[in-house]
Amino acid sequence: MVLHMIGRGDIQQQRLTLLASILLWEGRLNNARLRELFDLSSVRASEWIREFREKHPDWTEWNSKTRSYHASLEAYRAVPNADLRKQSDAISLSQYLALVGVPHAITESSPSRTIWAAFPELSVPSPRIFALMSEAIRARRALQITYRSMREPTPHQRVISPHSLIRAGRRWHARAFCSTNQDFRDYALGRIESAILLDTPSERVDEDDAAWMAKVRVRLVAHPDLTPDQESLIRFEYFNNTAARVDTCRGALIGYFIQDVRAAIDTKSQQPPDYQLAVANIEEVRPWLFPG
């Protein structure tokens, strides 16, 4: 049981808050999901949903195809995204991820005060965008999005077929096939202004994404310009006192992985102390640095 995650207060209100978190970030509530998360009986899960619907009658709409109560626009209007950025309660993204078993950043409101994140959540996606993206992936359907990018900063429409959600550092991305460009690309969820779930099936799926399916070795070593003592320290900290470590990464994610560990790919321009690691097999890795 995870009710202790929300903090003190009335148990009924804690249940309502938990269900609101699931509804907003997953876009639906159903009996099976509550049984999975909270180890409830079918009868008890139905009671929880009925209690929630009585408290928030306008927040859900029954969908006979999915046999779930889907989140209404009224539910998202009731919890503005500006409030979610405060990360102050169980409706925040970090607490939702903790609820479903995904590691998250410890915040001021977290019950544990022994583990902390050194950075704030700078780019929290809209819960409705997050839920629609998740639904499109589950149902293998296309999405029409209004998107902004550095290359094209003004809002523009794209039709995409997402197959995976990715947390890369402090940002969330969707890996998706773009119907406009006819290739697979990454879309930052924080840059999506709006989304519409289409009735059309996904144009392409993850098995068609060569960069996603590719498994690429990344060999990390201590930066060659470290002193011998510094190199020994890096080997102790990262490599279990061996000369290097090799990780296998999806081709589409290698750029994020190298950014996250701050490994130099050009040891002449990327120098210590900013870079303490380096990619040893750069020629093998280079073709996969942010493909598409």
Side-chain angles (χ1 to χ4, degrees):
M1 189 61 62
V2 295
L3 290 180
H4 67 279
M5 293 169 47
I6 308 306
R8 300 173 182 175
D10 179 73
I11 293 297
Q12 181 188 41
Q13 184 56 48
Q14 293 176 8
R15 287 200 301 268
L16 294 172
T17 305
L18 283 171
L19 267 60
S21 181
I22 297 166
L23 177 70
L24 291 168
W25 290 107
E26 297 189 356
R28 59 167 75 174
L29 286 176
N30 63 48
N31 191 291
R33 184 61 166 152
L34 297 193
R35 298 200 310 269
E36 174 191 1
L37 288 174
F38 305 113
D39 193 27
L40 301 173
S41 68
S42 179
V43 171
R44 188 61 175 146
S46 295
E47 290 174 351
W48 279 30
I49 293 174
R50 183 172 64 250
E51 178 185 62
F52 182 83
R53 295 186 63 242
E54 288 173 353
K55 180 67 174 180
H56 302 293
D58 299 328
W59 283 29
T60 58
E61 299 168 345
W62 175 251
N63 186 299
S64 58
K65 289 184 179 180
T66 63
R67 299 192 60 79
S68 304
Y69 289 97
H70 285 224
S72 67
L73 286 176
E74 184 61 34
Y76 291 108
R77 292 192 187 105
V79 187
N81 196 42
D83 292 341
L84 295 173
R85 295 180 187 277
K86 298 176 183 177
Q87 300 287 293
S88 59
D89 55 34
I91 296 178
S92 71
L93 178 56
S94 64
Q95 292 291 348
Y96 161 72
L97 295 175
L99 170 63
V100 298
V102 180
H104 71 297
I106 301 298
T107 65
E108 290 291 341
S109 64
S110 303
S112 170
R113 293 303 182 91
T114 59
I115 304 173
W116 293 87
F119 48 81
E121 294 282 357
L122 295 180
S123 182
V124 181
S126 153
R128 185 164 188 268
I129 297 298
F130 191 94
L132 284 171
M133 195 68 69
S134 299
E135 181 68 18
I137 293 169
R138 280 193 298 262
R140 290 201 167 191
R141 287 164 62 184
L143 272 178
Q144 178 180 292
I145 62 172
T146 301
Y147 193 67
R148 304 177 69 177
S149 65
M150 292 299 291
R151 182 176 298 177
E152 195 173 350
T154 57
H156 56 280
Q157 288 191 344
R158 295 281 178 89
V159 174
I160 65 172
S161 299
H163 65 68
S164 299
L165 282 170
I166 304 157
R167 186 175 189 177
R170 289 174 288 280
R171 301 170 73 198
W172 283 87
H173 300 257
R175 183 73 177 172
F177 182 78
C178 176
S179 297
T180 303
N181 294 287
Q182 286 294 297
D183 63 5
F184 286 93
R185 298 191 171 193
D186 292 351
Y187 292 89
L189 266 60
R191 295 179 176 180
I192 299 177
E193 289 195 351
S194 62
I196 300 172
L197 186 62
L198 303 178
D199 289 331
T200 54
S202 295
E203 187 172 349
R204 304 278 288 276
V205 295
D206 54 348
E207 291 90 347
D208 302 321
D209 187 349
W212 182 259
M213 300 303 293
K215 302 296 179 63
V216 184
R217 295 167 59 256
V218 182
R219 188 170 190 267
L220 296 176
V221 297
H223 197 289
D225 290 336
L226 293 175
T227 68
D229 286 343
Q230 290 172 333
E231 180 183 356
S232 175
L233 170 62
I234 293 301
R235 289 185 176 189
F236 170 77
E237 182 178 4
Y238 295 110
F239 309 149
N240 196 28
N241 284 326
T242 60
R245 65 175 288 165
V246 177
D247 292 278
T248 300
C249 185
R250 292 184 182 272
L253 302 181
I254 280 181
Y256 300 127
F257 171 67
I258 291 175
Q259 277 188 349
D260 188 60
V261 300
R262 283 191 72 78
I265 57 176
D266 180 355
T267 55
K268 295 190 181 301
S269 62
Q270 296 172 319
Q271 289 279 312
D274 293 332
Y275 294 86
Q276 299 171 8
L277 300 172
V279 178
N281 60 330
I282 187 60
E283 294 308 315
E284 183 180 355
V285 166
R286 194 186 306 278
W288 302 101
L289 293 176
F290 296 108

